[in-house]
Amino acid sequence: GESVGLHLPTLSVQEGDNSIINCAYSNSASDYFIWYKQESGKGPQFIIDIRSNMDKRQGQRVTVLLNKTVKHLSLQIAATQPGDSAVYFCAENMAGANSKLTFGKGITLSVRP
Amino acid sequence: IAGITQAPTSQILAAGRRMTLRCTQDMRHNAMYWYRQDLGLGLRLIHYSNTAGTTGKGEVPDGYSVSRANTDDFPLTLASAVPSQTSVYFCASSVSGTGLYGYTFGSGTRLTVV
């Protein structure tokens, strides 16, 4: 979900388990969604995207699910590894000449060895 | 290696001073963006450029200016820095500004205004 305080919400998972990171987006007109990963001291890195004409998209060890009815996006990471520890952002956009990505505030994923 | 280069990596700046943060991309992307990232507030858009020669204001443009003289470069200038501009600044680019493509980010500039 989204963070409204000074500290990001944290998801702690055991190494090897699956992780599910959730995001509620705000604009029902959004038709393009992206998950980014940000490691400490680095810029956000593209993980996976999905367009509104799809409900699910799979990448390498990651799956994004989109539920347009409840405006919900999730990122599933299979067999979570220590290198997956980072802040994860969802972003939404809609097609248009002057449209810009809107980012969620992020969720920290912490992987326990 | 294709991507975005930002400079400097970090800077401590006296309040009232002028500073330009540099951003260069080699992907021939049409659109470029400047974001600031503050704890609890996420990434907020400062200015953007959909194509060389054009710029636009984002969510938090006050105190900042940009120019886009060519496709590759998109500098961000703080005319007279204030402590509230202490932040991490990220430059990003995308194939176009139509909302159909993701953004590629640089590694950021950590700016402290004292």
Side-chain angles (χ1 to χ4, degrees):
Chain A
E2 297 293 317
S3 170
V4 294
L6 290 179
H7 300 285
L8 297 176
T10 300
L11 175 65
S12 180
V13 300
Q14 188 73 36
E15 180 179 356
D17 287 351
N18 296 334
S19 302
I20 300 176
I21 303 172
N22 296 306
C23 175
Y25 64 92
S26 57
N27 190 346
S28 58
S30 293
D31 53 15
Y32 179 54
F33 305 88
I34 306 173
W35 278 102
Y36 283 91
K37 172 187 180 183
Q38 187 176 22
E39 297 174 275
S40 181
K42 298 183 179 180
Q45 179 184 6
F46 175 97
I47 301 174
I48 191 168
D49 61 359
I50 188 168
R51 301 197 186 277
S52 60
N53 60 352
M54 302 174 70
D55 297 322
K56 178 180 179 180
R57 188 160 188 238
Q58 289 184 291
Q60 186 177 13
R61 275 202 312 120
V62 295
T63 300
V64 56
L65 299 176
L66 175 63
N67 185 330
K68 296 180 287 295
T69 301
V70 296
K71 295 189 289 185
H72 185 268
L73 193 68
S74 68
L75 176 69
Q76 300 178 358
I77 304 174
T80 310
Q81 303 169 359
D84 294 327
S85 293
V87 175
Y88 290 81
F89 298 92
C90 63
E92 61 182 298
N93 207 349
M94 55 183 180
N98 208 31
S99 184
K100 303 292 172 283
L101 277 179
T102 301
F103 291 86
K105 292 182 174 56
I107 297 169
T108 300
L109 177 64
S110 176
V111 182
R112 304 188 303 272
Chain B
I1 298 177
I4 293 181
T5 301
Q6 290 187 238
T9 304
S10 65
Q11 182 76 44
I12 299 174
L13 185 68
R17 296 295 296 269
R18 178 186 179 91
M19 175 161 188
T20 296
L21 279 60
R22 300 185 298 279
C23 174
T24 300
Q25 54 106 355
D26 62 1
M27 298 172 285
R28 307 303 293 172
H29 283 177
N30 284 311
M32 296 187 75
Y33 315 87
W34 274 105
Y35 284 87
R36 60 177 290 173
Q37 186 176 41
D38 304 289
L39 188 63
L41 297 176
L43 287 159
R44 293 183 292 169
L45 182 64
I46 304 171
H47 284 287
Y48 65 91
S49 169
N50 285 337
T51 189
T54 68
T55 62
K57 294 181 179 180
E59 180 185 356
V60 288
D62 294 343
Y64 307 94
S65 64
V66 291
S67 61
R68 187 90 184 276
N70 57 62
T71 297
D72 298 344
D73 301 301
F74 191 43
L76 176 74
T77 298
L78 288 67
S80 179
V82 295
S84 62
Q85 292 177 310
T86 294
S87 187
V88 181
Y89 291 85
F90 288 101
C91 180
S93 71
S94 64
V95 171
S96 78
T98 60
L100 298 176
Y101 303 92
Y103 296 179
T104 300
F105 283 85
S107 297
T109 294
R110 182 175 295 275
L111 180 67
T112 303
V113 182
V114 297

